mmCIF file of all heavy atoms in Angstrom:
data_model
loop_
_atom_site.group_PDB
_atom_site.id
_atom_site.type_symbol
_atom_site.label_atom_id
_atom_site.label_comp_id
_atom_site.label_asym_id
_atom_site.label_seq_id
_atom_site.Cartn_x
_atom_site.Cartn_y
_atom_site.Cartn_z
ATOM 1 N N THR K 223 0.850 -1.190 0.000
ATOM 2 C CA THR K 223 0.000 0.000 0.000
ATOM 3 C C THR K 223 0.880 1.232 0.000
ATOM 4 O O THR K 223 1.807 1.335 0.796
ATOM 5 C CB THR K 223 -0.924 0.018 1.239
ATOM 6 O OG1 THR K 223 -1.761 -1.142 1.197
ATOM 7 C CG2 THR K 223 -1.775 1.259 1.268
ATOM 8 N N VAL K 224 0.585 2.157 -0.914
ATOM 9 C CA VAL K 224 1.274 3.442 -0.984
ATOM 10 C C VAL K 224 0.253 4.497 -0.572
ATOM 11 O O VAL K 224 -0.858 4.528 -1.112
ATOM 12 C CB VAL K 224 1.789 3.722 -2.417
ATOM 13 C CG1 VAL K 224 2.362 5.123 -2.519
ATOM 14 C CG2 VAL K 224 2.809 2.684 -2.819
ATOM 15 N N THR K 225 0.620 5.351 0.380
ATOM 16 C CA THR K 225 -0.283 6.402 0.846
ATOM 17 C C THR K 225 0.217 7.757 0.378
ATOM 18 O O THR K 225 1.385 8.090 0.575
ATOM 19 C CB THR K 225 -0.394 6.374 2.386
ATOM 20 O OG1 THR K 225 -0.872 5.077 2.783
ATOM 21 C CG2 THR K 225 -1.350 7.440 2.885
ATOM 22 N N LEU K 226 -0.680 8.526 -0.231
ATOM 23 C CA LEU K 226 -0.374 9.868 -0.711
ATOM 24 C C LEU K 226 -1.150 10.888 0.120
ATOM 25 O O LEU K 226 -2.312 10.665 0.456
ATOM 26 C CB LEU K 226 -0.758 10.001 -2.192
ATOM 27 C CG LEU K 226 -0.077 9.010 -3.140
ATOM 28 C CD1 LEU K 226 -0.697 9.096 -4.532
ATOM 29 C CD2 LEU K 226 1.414 9.277 -3.196
ATOM 30 N N THR K 227 -0.494 12.017 0.432
ATOM 31 C CA THR K 227 -1.105 13.065 1.259
ATOM 32 C C THR K 227 -0.986 14.417 0.556
ATOM 33 O O THR K 227 -0.470 14.504 -0.562
ATOM 34 C CB THR K 227 -0.415 13.139 2.631
ATOM 35 O OG1 THR K 227 0.935 13.572 2.431
ATOM 36 C CG2 THR K 227 -0.432 11.803 3.358
ATOM 37 N N ASN K 228 -1.397 15.478 1.241
ATOM 38 C CA ASN K 228 -1.300 16.837 0.694
ATOM 39 C C ASN K 228 0.103 17.122 0.174
ATOM 40 O O ASN K 228 0.269 17.763 -0.862
ATOM 41 C CB ASN K 228 -1.636 17.881 1.771
ATOM 42 C CG ASN K 228 -3.061 17.809 2.247
ATOM 43 O OD1 ASN K 228 -3.653 16.745 2.331
ATOM 44 N ND2 ASN K 228 -3.631 18.952 2.580
ATOM 45 N N ALA K 229 1.117 16.672 0.873
ATOM 46 C CA ALA K 229 2.516 16.953 0.530
ATOM 47 C C ALA K 229 2.964 16.269 -0.757
ATOM 48 O O ALA K 229 4.014 16.614 -1.301
ATOM 49 C CB ALA K 229 3.425 16.535 1.679
ATOM 50 N N ASP K 230 2.189 15.316 -1.269
ATOM 51 C CA ASP K 230 2.591 14.565 -2.460
ATOM 52 C C ASP K 230 2.090 15.184 -3.766
ATOM 53 O O ASP K 230 2.190 14.561 -4.824
ATOM 54 C CB ASP K 230 2.121 13.111 -2.344
ATOM 55 C CG ASP K 230 2.829 12.396 -1.215
ATOM 56 O OD1 ASP K 230 4.064 12.441 -1.186
ATOM 57 O OD2 ASP K 230 2.141 11.808 -0.359
ATOM 58 N N ASP K 231 1.588 16.400 -3.717
ATOM 59 C CA ASP K 231 1.134 17.084 -4.929
ATOM 60 C C ASP K 231 2.293 17.168 -5.924
ATOM 61 O O ASP K 231 3.399 17.581 -5.576
ATOM 62 C CB ASP K 231 0.642 18.489 -4.583
ATOM 63 C CG ASP K 231 0.090 19.226 -5.787
ATOM 64 O OD1 ASP K 231 -0.391 18.578 -6.731
ATOM 65 O OD2 ASP K 231 0.144 20.472 -5.786
ATOM 66 N N GLY K 232 2.053 16.706 -7.153
ATOM 67 C CA GLY K 232 3.080 16.737 -8.187
ATOM 68 C C GLY K 232 3.999 15.533 -8.196
ATOM 69 O O GLY K 232 4.842 15.404 -9.076
ATOM 70 N N ARG K 233 3.855 14.640 -7.276
ATOM 71 C CA ARG K 233 4.740 13.478 -7.148
ATOM 72 C C ARG K 233 4.339 12.380 -8.141
ATOM 73 O O ARG K 233 3.177 12.248 -8.512
ATOM 74 C CB ARG K 233 4.651 12.945 -5.724
ATOM 75 C CG ARG K 233 5.550 11.777 -5.447
ATOM 76 C CD ARG K 233 5.524 11.410 -3.982
ATOM 77 N NE ARG K 233 6.296 10.190 -3.795
ATOM 78 C CZ ARG K 233 6.061 9.313 -2.853
ATOM 79 N NH1 ARG K 233 5.110 9.506 -1.982
ATOM 80 N NH2 ARG K 233 6.792 8.233 -2.749
ATOM 81 N N THR K 234 5.314 11.565 -8.550
ATOM 82 C CA THR K 234 5.067 10.371 -9.358
ATOM 83 C C THR K 234 5.499 9.163 -8.543
ATOM 84 O O THR K 234 6.605 9.146 -8.010
ATOM 85 C CB THR K 234 5.867 10.419 -10.679
ATOM 86 O OG1 THR K 234 5.451 11.559 -11.428
ATOM 87 C CG2 THR K 234 5.641 9.160 -11.499
ATOM 88 N N VAL K 235 4.616 8.178 -8.438
ATOM 89 C CA VAL K 235 4.938 6.946 -7.717
ATOM 90 C C VAL K 235 4.784 5.767 -8.669
ATOM 91 O O VAL K 235 3.981 5.813 -9.602
ATOM 92 C CB VAL K 235 4.054 6.735 -6.465
ATOM 93 C CG1 VAL K 235 4.288 7.820 -5.434
ATOM 94 C CG2 VAL K 235 2.588 6.662 -6.826
ATOM 95 N N THR K 236 5.553 4.730 -8.434
ATOM 96 C CA THR K 236 5.478 3.514 -9.240
ATOM 97 C C THR K 236 5.030 2.363 -8.345
ATOM 98 O O THR K 236 5.575 2.180 -7.253
ATOM 99 C CB THR K 236 6.852 3.193 -9.869
ATOM 100 O OG1 THR K 236 7.250 4.308 -10.670
ATOM 101 C CG2 THR K 236 6.785 1.955 -10.733
ATOM 102 N N VAL K 237 4.027 1.633 -8.823
ATOM 103 C CA VAL K 237 3.488 0.498 -8.073
ATOM 104 C C VAL K 237 3.353 -0.691 -9.021
ATOM 105 O O VAL K 237 3.482 -0.549 -10.233
ATOM 106 C CB VAL K 237 2.113 0.834 -7.433
ATOM 107 C CG1 VAL K 237 2.235 1.979 -6.436
ATOM 108 C CG2 VAL K 237 1.077 1.163 -8.495
ATOM 109 N N ALA K 238 3.073 -1.835 -8.459
ATOM 110 C CA ALA K 238 2.842 -3.049 -9.249
ATOM 111 C C ALA K 238 1.343 -3.329 -9.315
ATOM 112 O O ALA K 238 0.577 -2.868 -8.462
ATOM 113 C CB ALA K 238 3.568 -4.230 -8.620
ATOM 114 N N ARG K 239 0.951 -4.100 -10.324
ATOM 115 C CA ARG K 239 -0.461 -4.487 -10.395
ATOM 116 C C ARG K 239 -0.837 -5.217 -9.117
ATOM 117 O O ARG K 239 -0.073 -6.023 -8.606
ATOM 118 C CB ARG K 239 -0.718 -5.368 -11.603
ATOM 119 C CG ARG K 239 -0.789 -4.556 -12.878
ATOM 120 C CD ARG K 239 -1.231 -5.381 -14.040
ATOM 121 N NE ARG K 239 -0.235 -6.420 -14.293
ATOM 122 C CZ ARG K 239 -0.368 -7.372 -15.185
ATOM 123 N NH1 ARG K 239 -1.439 -7.436 -15.927
ATOM 124 N NH2 ARG K 239 0.573 -8.271 -15.358
ATOM 125 N N GLY K 240 -2.012 -4.897 -8.604
ATOM 126 C CA GLY K 240 -2.488 -5.506 -7.372
ATOM 127 C C GLY K 240 -2.205 -4.672 -6.138
ATOM 128 O O GLY K 240 -2.794 -4.897 -5.085
ATOM 129 N N ASP K 241 -1.287 -3.708 -6.244
ATOM 130 C CA ASP K 241 -0.995 -2.827 -5.105
ATOM 131 C C ASP K 241 -2.162 -1.874 -4.864
ATOM 132 O O ASP K 241 -3.018 -1.678 -5.725
ATOM 133 C CB ASP K 241 0.270 -2.011 -5.358
ATOM 134 C CG ASP K 241 1.547 -2.832 -5.241
ATOM 135 O OD1 ASP K 241 1.478 -3.997 -4.786
ATOM 136 O OD2 ASP K 241 2.613 -2.312 -5.609
ATOM 137 N N THR K 242 -2.169 -1.271 -3.692
ATOM 138 C CA THR K 242 -3.204 -0.316 -3.314
ATOM 139 C C THR K 242 -2.586 1.067 -3.181
ATOM 140 O O THR K 242 -1.508 1.216 -2.602
ATOM 141 C CB THR K 242 -3.841 -0.724 -1.963
ATOM 142 O OG1 THR K 242 -4.409 -2.035 -2.118
ATOM 143 C CG2 THR K 242 -4.904 0.248 -1.526
ATOM 144 N N VAL K 243 -3.279 2.054 -3.718
ATOM 145 C CA VAL K 243 -2.875 3.454 -3.566
ATOM 146 C C VAL K 243 -3.968 4.133 -2.755
ATOM 147 O O VAL K 243 -5.124 4.180 -3.171
ATOM 148 C CB VAL K 243 -2.697 4.158 -4.927
ATOM 149 C CG1 VAL K 243 -2.355 5.623 -4.727
ATOM 150 C CG2 VAL K 243 -1.631 3.451 -5.759
ATOM 151 N N THR K 244 -3.597 4.640 -1.582
ATOM 152 C CA THR K 244 -4.534 5.324 -0.710
ATOM 153 C C THR K 244 -4.213 6.814 -0.728
ATOM 154 O O THR K 244 -3.051 7.192 -0.599
ATOM 155 C CB THR K 244 -4.420 4.789 0.736
ATOM 156 O OG1 THR K 244 -4.692 3.389 0.723
ATOM 157 C CG2 THR K 244 -5.390 5.481 1.668
ATOM 158 N N VAL K 245 -5.233 7.636 -0.891
ATOM 159 C CA VAL K 245 -5.064 9.090 -0.878
ATOM 160 C C VAL K 245 -5.785 9.627 0.351
ATOM 161 O O VAL K 245 -6.960 9.326 0.565
ATOM 162 C CB VAL K 245 -5.639 9.735 -2.160
ATOM 163 C CG1 VAL K 245 -5.494 11.246 -2.114
ATOM 164 C CG2 VAL K 245 -4.966 9.158 -3.392
ATOM 165 N N LYS K 246 -5.051 10.406 1.170
ATOM 166 C CA LYS K 246 -5.624 11.019 2.372
ATOM 167 C C LYS K 246 -5.274 12.507 2.356
ATOM 168 O O LYS K 246 -4.133 12.879 2.635
ATOM 169 C CB LYS K 246 -5.067 10.365 3.638
ATOM 170 C CG LYS K 246 -5.483 8.927 3.808
ATOM 171 C CD LYS K 246 -4.916 8.350 5.085
ATOM 172 C CE LYS K 246 -5.347 6.901 5.239
ATOM 173 N NZ LYS K 246 -4.821 6.312 6.466
ATOM 174 N N LEU K 247 -6.251 13.334 2.007
ATOM 175 C CA LEU K 247 -6.038 14.776 1.933
ATOM 176 C C LEU K 247 -6.711 15.447 3.123
ATOM 177 O O LEU K 247 -7.841 15.117 3.481
ATOM 178 C CB LEU K 247 -6.596 15.324 0.616
ATOM 179 C CG LEU K 247 -5.977 14.701 -0.641
ATOM 180 C CD1 LEU K 247 -6.703 15.185 -1.891
ATOM 181 C CD2 LEU K 247 -4.498 15.014 -0.714
ATOM 182 N N THR K 248 -6.005 16.394 3.723
ATOM 183 C CA THR K 248 -6.480 17.070 4.923
ATOM 184 C C THR K 248 -6.992 18.453 4.571
ATOM 185 O O THR K 248 -6.314 19.218 3.875
ATOM 186 C CB THR K 248 -5.320 17.207 5.937
ATOM 187 O OG1 THR K 248 -4.782 15.907 6.174
ATOM 188 C CG2 THR K 248 -5.793 17.810 7.239
ATOM 189 N N GLY K 249 -8.183 18.790 5.059
ATOM 190 C CA GLY K 249 -8.745 20.121 4.868
ATOM 191 C C GLY K 249 -7.995 21.140 5.713
ATOM 192 O O GLY K 249 -7.299 20.800 6.672
ATOM 193 N N ILE K 250 -8.143 22.406 5.353
ATOM 194 C CA ILE K 250 -7.433 23.480 6.051
ATOM 195 C C ILE K 250 -8.447 24.529 6.509
ATOM 196 O O ILE K 250 -9.298 24.957 5.726
ATOM 197 C CB ILE K 250 -6.383 24.128 5.116
ATOM 198 C CG1 ILE K 250 -5.376 23.079 4.658
ATOM 199 C CG2 ILE K 250 -5.702 25.303 5.795
ATOM 200 C CD1 ILE K 250 -4.486 23.541 3.526
ATOM 201 N N ARG K 251 -8.316 24.967 7.754
ATOM 202 C CA ARG K 251 -9.124 26.080 8.279
ATOM 203 C C ARG K 251 -8.200 27.266 8.488
ATOM 204 O O ARG K 251 -7.122 27.127 9.055
ATOM 205 C CB ARG K 251 -9.761 25.714 9.618
ATOM 206 C CG ARG K 251 -10.899 24.761 9.491
ATOM 207 C CD ARG K 251 -11.665 24.724 10.815
ATOM 208 N NE ARG K 251 -12.774 23.829 10.713
ATOM 209 C CZ ARG K 251 -13.981 24.170 10.259
ATOM 210 N NH1 ARG K 251 -14.214 25.392 9.878
ATOM 211 N NH2 ARG K 251 -14.952 23.283 10.207
ATOM 212 N N ASP K 252 -8.656 28.426 8.007
ATOM 213 C CA ASP K 252 -7.810 29.616 8.131
ATOM 214 C C ASP K 252 -8.676 30.869 8.098
ATOM 215 O O ASP K 252 -9.354 31.123 7.100
ATOM 216 C CB ASP K 252 -6.783 29.642 6.991
ATOM 217 C CG ASP K 252 -5.776 30.771 7.125
ATOM 218 O OD1 ASP K 252 -5.423 31.128 8.261
ATOM 219 O OD2 ASP K 252 -5.352 31.288 6.076
ATOM 220 N N GLN K 253 -8.683 31.644 9.142
ATOM 221 C CA GLN K 253 -9.339 32.946 9.236
ATOM 222 C C GLN K 253 -10.785 32.943 8.741
ATOM 223 O O GLN K 253 -11.171 33.717 7.871
ATOM 224 C CB GLN K 253 -8.523 33.996 8.488
ATOM 225 C CG GLN K 253 -7.125 34.145 9.046
ATOM 226 C CD GLN K 253 -6.289 35.126 8.247
ATOM 227 O OE1 GLN K 253 -6.760 35.787 7.337
ATOM 228 N NE2 GLN K 253 -5.024 35.238 8.620
ATOM 229 N N GLY K 254 -11.576 32.054 9.285
ATOM 230 C CA GLY K 254 -13.001 32.030 8.972
ATOM 231 C C GLY K 254 -13.384 31.293 7.702
ATOM 232 O O GLY K 254 -14.547 31.307 7.326
#
């Protein structure tokens, strides 16, 4: 399993068939 987050924007990853790619993006609160 490869996990991608906010910091992985623009990144390229290589996986094999059958692998899992999980994406976890975090929301941002700022000044209302």
